Amino acid sequence: TESLPDGFVFLHDRLPNVQLSLRYASEENFLGRRVNGYLANVSIVTEAAALGLQRAQIFAKAIGYELVLYDGYRPQKSVDQFVF
């Protein structure tokens, strides 16, 4: 498995059933092409964010809902591609 900087985790390792819709890893986004730095439909977040999302998912499921995440950590090369 790929290593991450200290304090970051792959969200699916902490919240395996979370729904991800990371469209920057596909052509289905406002650019119409994959964004630099998005190689797969995986979300990288801080450990604190993962813990907060775990809590939010528990609360959401208790009232009949579920989280869908659209983004996570964004590499600088991705941000650079958004600047026109």
Side-chain angles (χ1 to χ4, degrees), residues 4-76:
L4 297 174
D6 287 341
F8 287 86
V9 297
F10 289 104
L11 187 58
H12 63 268
D13 289 341
R14 301 293 175 92
L15 203 57
N17 296 323
V18 71
Q19 292 187 44
L20 298 176
S21 182
L22 306 178
R23 298 194 177 181
Y24 292 143
S26 73
E27 294 180 358
E28 191 178 342
N29 60 60
F30 76 98
L31 292 176
R33 63 184 184 277
R34 185 184 58 79
V35 175
N36 293 338
Y38 286 84
L39 304 177
N41 195 37
V42 297
S43 181
I44 298 170
V45 298
T46 64
E47 290 182 20
L51 180 58
L53 289 167
Q54 286 173 320
R55 291 176 178 161
Q57 180 76 315
I58 290 167
F59 176 76
K61 284 188 176 233
I63 59 173
Y65 294 94
E66 190 167 340
L67 299 180
V68 178
L69 301 176
Y70 294 96
D71 206 356
Y73 167 77
R74 183 173 296 153
Q76 185 61 49

